Amino acid sequence: MEEEGGDEEKVIDPEFISCLLQPPISSSAYTGRGGGDPTGLSYVGLRRLLLYRKAQSGGLDRRKNWKCNGRGYVAYRNYIKRPRNWESLHIASRTSTPEQSGRWASSPGPRSILFEADSWSSSRDLRSYNPTPSHRTSFSSSVGEAERPPRLAEPAYSFVGMHCIFDNCKASVTVLKFGHMSSDLLAYGASDGSLIVCRASQPPSVLQQLRGHSRGVTDFDFSSNNQYIASSSMDKTVRVWEISKGNCIRVIYGVSSQLCIRFHPVNNNFLMVGNANREITVINFSTGRAINKVNFESEVTALDSDHTGQLIFSGDAQGCIYTVRVNSKTGSLSRSHRHRSSRKSESPVTTVQYRTFSLLTRGPVLLVCTQDGTMSFFSVALEIQGYLTLHCSLKLAPRVHSIRASFCPLLSLEKGEFIVSGSEDSNVYFYDLTRPKHICVNKLQGHGSPVIAVAWNYGENLLASSDSEGTVIVWKRARKTSQNSEQH
């Protein structure tokens, strides 16, 4: 075949001819009517050709490959939007300094970008993959560049600095939490019995100072509508507070120290309280009377419930974890399973936190921390009444204080399981439990004494941390959009 206006011969792909010479198909298959239509026939031939060319381009096969390897649309989109010189671009992370509290990675320049260096492998071989320092900062390794698909990384728990500071408390702040479905409602309890409710907005403000406990606040919880707070204390009482008025509307007396407390997530008329008398008690919120209780082998030091409210996960002073079934209508309790957070650990449990989904297990998980520095990560089998299977664990230095930890927000491109925790050296640390080496991925500096508690807000853009001197710092997490605006 020759081009118009020229003698040069144009080579045509044989597949192009074969698509055009396909046997004609009656348009009745498309229109539902008998007879043929020349326009319909040419459309069918053209459609065959376009589908063949689309498959030939490789995009479809490449998307199938990403999907089979456990990667989603976001990862593929970032892959096809990568810069041409991505192989030569990498930014080494650096730890924060007192002069730049909260900022742990250098801000990307106009031509630089961050990549996920150690999550390129598929979910099939992720469990046996142990990243090294060279993996974390660049793509240089024994695997060829052609075999390694590059992926863009979202800001991995990088912070722009301190959002606000509350320093009106003179005692150690032992517990702090944000309100349910709230991004700025924050409360924290201290070892002197005070409980303070504030707003972490701009400007920050203290709403109420709830005073009534004679000894340290061990735990508290917001009701689902954020109108009430229920607190437990070493003074053997549970108090219910009305936040808007700042009044204590109910005092429930016990025979031992009350160590942990939660509202039932479905039936907010139930309070679940763990105490030093080796019990979990269900209390009627309206009447203040105990409905049911279940006994354990040691003091109940921490607890949390699943999202349905049918299961309670509790930890005791000997490092054991219990699964307890709850009837959301009657409040009846029955023990289901008993586990040990670590084979060698008999240290008090300081944190029990449930999460409905994890990228690592593709299901519900439980975080358990003990005072000897052990962090355990369990997968939860809800169909077997909350049976726990140890997925991985991390051993840190033993703690003097009862330091709490928390899950980190899920990042769409991160394959690890990230935990944030306070420490005795006055820093806030971010750990990846899936890394046997190089577990620390970030740290925040700014406190002047041991950091006791940490908590994320609902929007997951603010992280609050408290220390043993009574200072509460709210850190603001960097957003991808804000980094892009800084580049331009």
Side-chain angles (χ1 to χ4, degrees):
M1 182 181 290
E2 295 183 358
E3 280 187 330
E4 277 186 40
D7 299 332
E8 186 178 356
E9 186 177 6
K10 183 177 180 180
V11 180
I12 298 180
D13 188 350
E15 294 292 338
F16 177 82
I17 298 296
S18 65
C19 287
L20 294 181
L21 296 181
Q22 291 280 343
I25 298 177
S26 172
S27 62
S28 61
Y30 300 96
T31 62
R33 299 187 299 269
D37 184 359
T39 304
L41 292 176
S42 62
Y43 163 74
V44 172
L46 181 61
R47 183 172 178 272
R48 287 173 180 161
L49 176 62
L50 294 177
L51 289 175
Y52 165 73
R53 288 292 173 87
K54 182 177 181 181
Q56 189 181 39
S57 65
L60 183 62
D61 295 334
R62 188 170 296 168
R63 286 195 296 274
K64 288 181 179 179
N65 179 55
W66 279 80
K67 184 176 181 180
C68 292
N69 285 332
R71 305 179 178 91
Y73 164 74
V74 176
Y76 181 74
R77 179 199 64 193
N78 292 335
Y79 170 67
I80 62 178
K81 288 185 178 181
R82 73 194 189 282
R84 294 182 179 179
N85 59 339
W86 65 269
E87 295 178 352
S88 61
L89 296 176
H90 69 271
I91 298 177
S93 63
R94 67 167 185 250
T95 57
S96 60
T97 61
E99 290 77 14
Q100 38 177 203
S101 299
R103 187 179 295 275
W104 70 286
S106 54
S107 299
R111 295 181 178 273
S112 61
I113 197 163
L114 286 172
F115 289 93
E116 269 194 328
D118 45 22
S119 54
W120 62 270
S121 56
S122 66
S123 58
R124 180 174 52 190
D125 57 5
L126 184 64
R127 297 175 181 174
S128 60
Y129 177 60
N130 297 330
T132 61
S134 61
H135 288 115
R136 298 203 313 275
T137 55
S138 67
F139 281 94
S140 58
S141 70
S142 59
V143 182
E145 297 291 350
E147 302 176 14
R148 179 178 298 184
R151 300 171 64 191
L152 293 172
E154 296 181 358
Y157 313 119
S158 56
F159 290 77
V160 297
M162 297 180 184
H163 179 68
C164 60
I165 299 176
F166 297 95
D167 56 358
N168 56 335
C169 188
K170 304 304 178 184
S172 175
V173 175
T174 55
V175 56
L176 77 166
K177 293 179 183 179
F178 282 93
H180 291 296
M181 308 291 285
S182 175
S183 294
D184 61 348
L185 180 61
L186 175 67
Y188 51 93
S191 59
D192 62 354
S194 61
L195 184 61
I196 299 174
V197 184
C198 54
R199 288 281 183 188
S201 54
Q202 290 293 349
S205 59
V206 175
L207 301 180
Q208 300 289 350
Q209 296 190 19
L210 309 177
R211 300 191 180 277
H213 286 296
S214 59
R215 297 185 63 186
V217 175
T218 56
D219 200 4
F220 69 87
D221 197 21
F222 284 92
S223 62
S224 59
N225 56 10
N226 293 329
Q227 294 183 4
Y228 303 97
I229 284 182
S231 60
S232 59
S233 172
M234 297 294 291
D235 64 5
K236 304 180 182 180
T237 66
V238 169
R239 290 178 178 264
V240 179
W241 311 84
E242 188 174 3
I243 298 178
S244 60
K245 298 180 180 179
N247 297 331
C248 177
I249 62 175
R250 185 162 291 107
V251 181
I252 304 167
Y253 294 93
V255 297
S256 62
S257 299
Q258 309 297 307
L259 303 180
C260 48
I261 189 169
R262 289 290 183 278
F263 275 98
H264 192 280
V266 176
N267 187 349
N268 255 204
N269 197 41
F270 289 160
L271 282 172
M272 302 170 292
V273 185
N275 57 41
N277 200 32
R278 300 178 296 179
E279 298 172 340
I280 289 182
T281 305
V282 176
I283 298 175
N284 188 303
F285 174 83
S286 302
T287 63
R289 294 182 178 180
I291 302 175
N292 283 293
K293 65 176 63 176
V294 62
N295 296 319
F296 300 89
E297 284 74 22
S298 185
E299 300 177 355
V300 180
T301 56
L303 63 83
D304 200 6
S305 64
D306 73 330
H307 59 289
T308 64
Q310 298 178 3
L311 297 173
I312 296 176
F313 303 97
S314 63
D316 68 8
Q318 295 182 351
C320 293
I321 309 299
Y322 299 89
T323 304
V324 182
R325 288 177 294 174
V326 186
N327 187 313
S328 58
K329 295 182 179 179
T330 63
S332 62
L333 303 173
S334 59
R335 283 174 49 174
S336 176
H337 302 288
R338 178 180 181 269
H339 315 265
R340 182 165 289 281
S341 60
S342 176
R343 293 180 180 178
K344 299 180 180 180
S345 173
E346 293 187 0
S347 180
V349 175
T350 60
T351 299
V352 173
Q353 189 176 45
Y354 174 86
R355 173 178 266 181
T356 56
F357 180 78
S358 168
L359 290 172
L360 214 60
T361 64
R362 301 292 175 179
V365 289
L366 191 74
L367 171 66
V368 177
C369 302
T370 55
Q371 196 166 346
D372 66 352
T374 302
M375 293 186 181
S376 302
F377 180 71
F378 295 91
S379 59
V380 182
L382 296 178
E383 65 277 7
I384 319 179
Q385 300 176 353
Y387 183 80
L388 303 180
T389 302
L390 181 63
H391 198 277
C392 55
S393 62
L394 173 65
K395 186 67 173 70
L396 302 175
R399 281 88 185 279
V400 177
H401 300 82
S402 297
I403 294 178
R404 303 173 189 257
S406 173
F407 283 111
C408 284
L410 292 175
L411 295 184
S412 59
L413 300 183
E414 292 285 349
K415 294 295 184 181
E417 191 60 52
F418 296 92
I419 306 299
V420 58
S421 173
S423 68
E424 300 284 351
D425 63 359
S426 308
N427 296 324
V428 179
Y429 285 95
F430 295 78
Y431 301 107
D432 184 355
L433 294 186
T434 62
R435 300 185 183 186
K437 299 179 181 179
H438 314 291
I439 54 175
C440 181
V441 297
N442 187 10
K443 73 175 180 178
L444 303 177
Q445 296 177 332
H447 288 279
S449 60
V451 179
I452 307 298
V454 291
W456 292 95
N457 70 337
Y458 173 72
E460 297 181 335
N461 64 321
L462 297 179
L463 172 68
S465 58
S466 63
D467 61 31
S468 60
E469 291 183 352
T471 302
V472 175
I473 299 179
V474 181
W475 311 84
K476 187 172 184 180
R477 188 161 74 93
R479 290 289 190 181
K480 187 174 182 180
T481 54
S482 62
Q483 286 197 357
N484 291 340
S485 62
E486 290 177 2
Q487 294 178 14
H488 301 288

